[in-house]
């Protein structure tokens, strides 16, 4: 079953979408469509800068409403008041450094900045700019000032920017922006009361002080799960191997390197969690000996490495559990379902999330994934390729429905 259809969870909500003059203005089209797909009505305000990148007509057609760009234009006498009063939330995406400065200081020289001073509902801002601009102390100060006032300022993503550089400054993904609006307007609380231990990323098993054995895991799936639990009201401790990802906000993050460090970090916290979700790609083998100095070539043409098995963390914790729900992952390259079923049984899990890491567009490093979720009771849910953040929600739905609501799990209902 692939229930990938969006829900109308924003039905009845009216959102004012402010678009400012960043090259990322074209991405606001996707954001607008995502909001509408989720049932919201949307009015767009463009700044003069935005109108240099996109025509109002594009947003007019897609929103089905007149796009306002100027405080003094049109038929309405006071659009800055009427538009803000009608809005359940205001989303500014993309937001430029100039916009952040105006909003932080309360300057009101166009329709968008003026109406912001009259908004009662949540304000969500998704910045996009070059990396050096985002880290500039003045911009940081304005972001802090806005956050202190309760504005949700999203962290832009790290990636290639219009300048050609790779840095933090890319507009957050459509799904993350959508999620920020959903959380601001209708926070989901079905994981409230759960204390969730999530593992993520690869482990690094040292050969010597400069070399290690590891794998291609990016940590994206585990981080997405941690973020999803947090967004749905649960408490999260994220135990993570080395990843190039920013720790999700509101989540306690514990950094580890090796499988044995990960085992210790999880072991210490296992007794007090209600759910363990083991998304980490833990190394199965490590060098039997870690050299204290850098291994030298010394004219050798080959060397043999003696490897030993690492602790099976999941199996060990599963055997120790009292009432915890235990969820594992099976990253496979062949015979995905038989191998996943074997792991589910062998490790005594409640649920396993199986995926074929060779599938194009999914697996390690990708933003998307496809998966089959299997429960110990024999239930199965199949999900086609979708963003990992969305799959994270589907995994949480499955854990909730198949384990937490079932008699032996902790109850989600307060
Ligand atoms: O046996 P396999 O490594 O394929 O099982 C995968 C599952 O077991 C994942 O959930 C992974 O996090 C976990 N695992 C573990 N300890 C290991 C190896 C894998 O907890 N040493």
């Amino acid at each position: 079953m692939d229930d990938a259809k969006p829900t109308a969870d924003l039905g009845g909500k009216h959102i004012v979408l402010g678009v400012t003059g960043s090259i990322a203005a074209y991405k606001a089209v996707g954001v607008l469509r995502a909001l509408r797909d989720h049932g919201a009505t949307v009015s767009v305000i463009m700044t003069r800068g935005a109108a240099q990148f996109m025509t109002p007509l594009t947003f007019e057609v897609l929103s089905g409403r007149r796009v306002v760009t100027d405080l003094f234009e049109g038929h309405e006498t006071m659009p800055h008041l009427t538009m803000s009063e009608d809005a359940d939330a205001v989303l500014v995406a993309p937001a430029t450094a100039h916009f952040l400065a105006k909003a932080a200081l309360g300057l009101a020289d166009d329709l968008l900045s003026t109406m912001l001073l009259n908004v009662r509902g949540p304000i969500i801002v998704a910045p996009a700019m070059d990396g050096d601009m985002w880290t500039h102390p003045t911009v940081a100060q304005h972001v802090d000032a806005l956050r202190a006032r309760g504005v949700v300022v999203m962290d832009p993503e790290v990636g290639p920017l219009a300048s050609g550089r790779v840095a933090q400054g890319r507009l957050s993904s459509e799904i993350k922006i959508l999620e920020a609006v959903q959380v601001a307007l209708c926070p989901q609380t079905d994981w409230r009361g759960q204390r969730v231990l999530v593992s993520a990323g690869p482990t690094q098993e040292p050969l010597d002080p400069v070399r290690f054995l590891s794998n291609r895991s990016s940590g994206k799936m585990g981080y997405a799960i941690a973020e999803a639990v947090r967004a749905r009201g649960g408490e999260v401790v994220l135990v993570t191997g080395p990843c190039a990802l920013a720790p999700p906000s509101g989540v306690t993050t514990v950094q580890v390197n090796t499988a044995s460090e990960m085992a210790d970090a999880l072991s210490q916290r296992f007794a007090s969690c209600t759910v363990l979700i083991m998304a980490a790609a833990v190394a199965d083998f490590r060098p039997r000996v870690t050299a204290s100095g850098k291994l030298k070539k010394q004219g050798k043409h080959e060397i043999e490495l003696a490897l030993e098995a690492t602790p099976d963390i999941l199996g060990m914790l599963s055997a120790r559990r009292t009432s915890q729900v235990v969820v594992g992952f099976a990253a496979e390259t062949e015979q995905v379902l038989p191998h996943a079923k074997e792991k589910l049984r062998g490790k005594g899990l409640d649920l396993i999330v199986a995926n074929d890491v060779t599938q194009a567009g999914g697996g390690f490093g990708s933003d998307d994934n496809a998966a089959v979720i299997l429960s110990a009771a024999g239930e199965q849910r199949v999900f086609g390729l979708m963003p990992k953040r969305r799959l994270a929600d589907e995994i949480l739905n499955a854990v909730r429905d198949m384990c937490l609501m079932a008699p032996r799990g902790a109850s989600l209902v307060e």
Side-chain angles (χ1 to χ4, degrees), residues 199 201 259 262 266 277-285 309-317 327-332 343 347 349 352-353:
S199 72
M262 185 170 276
L266 291 170
I277 304 182
M278 192 75 201
V282 185
D284 288 325
F285 293 95
T310 55
D312 180 357
I313 307 171
L314 190 53
M316 173 186 85
L317 294 178
V327 180
F329 274 67
E332 304 291 347
K343 269 174 211 172
K347 298 190 190 222
L349 310 178
I352 195 153
V353 183

Side-chain angles (χ1 to χ4, degrees), residues 109 121 202 252 259 274:
D109 67 345
T252 305
T274 56

Side-chain angles (χ1 to χ4, degrees), residues 313-359:
I313 307 171
L314 190 53
M316 173 186 85
L317 294 178
S318 171
R320 252 176 46 191
R321 71 163 145 199
T322 47
S323 61
Q324 291 89 344
V325 168
V326 177
V327 180
F329 274 67
E332 304 291 347
T333 53
E334 55 186 359
Q335 302 258 337
V336 176
L337 284 187
H339 285 156
K341 281 183 186 158
E342 177 50 38
K343 269 174 211 172
L344 182 73
R345 264 195 307 272
K347 298 190 190 222
L349 310 178
D350 294 295
L351 210 79
I352 195 153
V353 183
N355 66 316
D356 180 347
V357 287
T358 62
Q359 185 181 332

Side-chain angles (χ1 to χ4, degrees), residues 249-277:
S249 56
V251 166
T252 305
T253 305
V254 181
Q255 308 273 353
V256 296
N257 285 309
T258 63
S260 113
E261 286 168 13
M262 185 170 276
D264 289 347
L266 291 170
S267 253
Q268 280 167 27
R269 294 163 177 88
F270 183 65
S272 57
C273 80
T274 56
V275 180
L276 166 70
I277 304 182

